[in-house]
């Protein structure tokens, strides 16, 4: 009887296996992660945070031709939008690196280049949504503005409004139900349309002036506080994100609700073990990429040659060919997946979907329809990650992103595999991914951090 039971692939809620010591570690880890989320709502803020944290943990900027010994820690700040870090291993880079790659951009509303206008004596910013959003979710919630403006004099101005308890917040309106007879018949994609994602800035006119006096009043405020003019919006990166902090969710506090778990939950899981690492056997590499939500494009996305630049600079120092390093490397593409949601069971195959509290979710393939766009890890790659996580005592589970033909998604995995690097997707299961507030389980966050640590040390 016992022998037969061993034939079954038994999965178990992670809380059944979590030790008291691990529970304490998990809670401490999740507090630190929540503080990171509160400080970082854009890729720019996450990069700045990572640079500061890296430097205080002994990382130095990577410089071509510098001397590097095992245990040395280096980073490359990619134009304040993405960051690559490495801890040099005992083995030569010719034996490959252990890489964890995630992304630090999240869906949001970007300001248009010419955003400010007035209509019916209300001042607004026009926005352009970034990434996959259900637009109606962004109406009638408190919003904050984060970003930078380069003034005509070349000075960069940092702007964050809406996060402090005494700050005002911004707002996108929706229609009252009393007058929504037509709207309620529309498909969800059209309930609030792209050109209706206009953010309310103010209503008080600058009395005694001519023209759009409410808009002028907002410009006067911006000029007095930040020294900027309307033309400066062209050289700005200002984004609208949900206002507020990460909160514990549930009476048992087992979940975390916040903006931007996708994918800062994996980015943080990659950073913490790297910061406190001794000398690994193989060089450990951590990539926090930008632009994943819009296809990993651009100079700060995972398709960018900045990754080759970083790795080849390391390889040159050791007299190793980049292609030899890539051919022997392993990458965990650390990105979130969908957690099974019993409110919407129809979109998932319950036997293959990740579940809250079952640990880090390993995804053999993403993509859609007939696996289109999937990197699709081999049996060998899956065997490697399985044994690595088992040996390190990491709780993990299997994941597929929804039912066949229901939809799908992608990660940076394919772009790593394209470089001749064996790559597997794994990450944290999320409820309501891409919503203004997403929910994850503390246990899964903690296990994903342990998984990153195990990959670095493999
Ligand atoms: Mn993601
Ligand atoms: Mn995403």
């Amino acid at each position: 009887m016992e022998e037969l039971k061993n034939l079954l692939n038994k999965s178990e809620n992670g809380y059944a296996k979590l030790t008291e010591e691990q529970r304490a570690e998990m809670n401490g880890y999740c507090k630190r992660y929540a503080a990171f989320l509160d400080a970082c709502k854009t890729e720019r803020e996450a990069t700045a945070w990572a640079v500061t944290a890296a430097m205080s943990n002994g990382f130095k900027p990577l410089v071509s031709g510098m001397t590097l010994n095992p245990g040395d820690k280096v980073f490359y700040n990619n134009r304040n939008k993405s960051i690559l870090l490495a801890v040099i291993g005992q083995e030569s880079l010719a034996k490959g690196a252990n890489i964890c790659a995630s992304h630090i951009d999240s869906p949001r509303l970007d300001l248009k280049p010419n955003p400010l206008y007035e209509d019916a004596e209300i001042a607004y910013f026009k926005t352009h949504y970034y990434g996959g959003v259900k637009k109606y979710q962004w109406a009638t919630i408190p919003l904050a503005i984060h970003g930078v403006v380069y003034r005509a004099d070349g000075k960069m101005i940092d702007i964050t409004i809406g996060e402090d308890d005494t700050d005002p917040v911004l707002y996108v309106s929706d229609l009252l139900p009393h007058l929504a007879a037509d709207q309620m018949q529309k498909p969800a994609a059209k309930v609030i349309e792209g050109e209706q994602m206009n953010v309310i800035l103010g209503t008080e006119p600058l009395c005694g002036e001519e023209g759009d006096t409410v808009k002028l009043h907002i410009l006067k405020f911006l000029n007095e506080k930040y020294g900027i003019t309307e033309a400066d919006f062209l050289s700005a990166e200002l984004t609208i994100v949900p206002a507020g902090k990460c909160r514990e969710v549930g009476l048992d506090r087992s979940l975390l609700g916040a903006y931007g778990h996708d994918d800062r939950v994996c980015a943080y899981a990659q950073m913490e073990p790297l910061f406190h690492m001794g000398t690994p056997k193989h060089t450990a590499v951590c990539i926090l990429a930008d632009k994943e939500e819009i296809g990993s494009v651009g100079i700060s996305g995972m398709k960018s040659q900045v990754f080759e630049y970083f790795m080849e600079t390391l390889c040159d120092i050791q007299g190793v060919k980049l292609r030899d390093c890539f051919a022997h490397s392993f990458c965990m593409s650390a990105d979130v997946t969908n957690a099974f949601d019993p409110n919407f069971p129809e979109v998932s195959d319950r036997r293959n979907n990740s579940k809250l509290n079952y640990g880090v979710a390993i995804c053999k393939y993403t993509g859609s329809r007939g696996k289109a766009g999937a990197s699709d890890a081999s049996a060998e790659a899956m065997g490697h990650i399985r044994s690595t996580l088992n040996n390190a005592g990491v709780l993990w589970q299997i994941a597929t992103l929804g039912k066949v033909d229901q939809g799908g998604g992608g990660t940076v995995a394919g772009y790593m595999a394209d470089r001749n690097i064996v790559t597997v997707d794994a990450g944290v299961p999320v409820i309501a991914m891409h919503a203004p507030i997403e929910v994850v389980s503390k246990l899964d966050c903690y296990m994903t951090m342990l998984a990153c640590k195990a990959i670095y040390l493999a």
Side-chain angles (χ1 to χ4, degrees), residues 103 105 261-263 292-293 334-337 410-411 433-434:
H103 66 93
D105 60 316
H261 284 309
D262 176 10
D263 187 30
E292 193 279 339
E293 297 294 358
D335 204 347
V336 299
T337 187
T411 66
M433 195 194 296
H434 286 202

Side-chain angles (χ1 to χ4, degrees), residues 41-47 78-84 101-108 110 130-131 237 239 263-264 267 287-304 306 335 411-412 415:
K41 290 195 174 180
T42 64
E43 66 280 357
R44 194 178 279 275
E45 290 167 352
T47 300
N78 181 17
R79 302 156 172 98
N80 303 320
K81 299 278 281 180
S82 72
I83 181 167
L84 304 98
S102 60
H103 66 93
I104 47 177
D105 60 316
S106 300
R108 63 188 184 218
D110 285 340
Y130 171 97
E237 258 177 27
T239 72
D263 187 30
R264 288 187 273 270
I287 306 165
L288 310 184
D290 179 28
K291 298 280 184 281
E292 193 279 339
E293 297 294 358
I294 58 168
S296 297
V297 289
I299 199 165
S300 51
M302 198 63 246
K303 288 181 189 168
S304 162
V306 74
D335 204 347
T411 66
V412 302
Y415 312 120

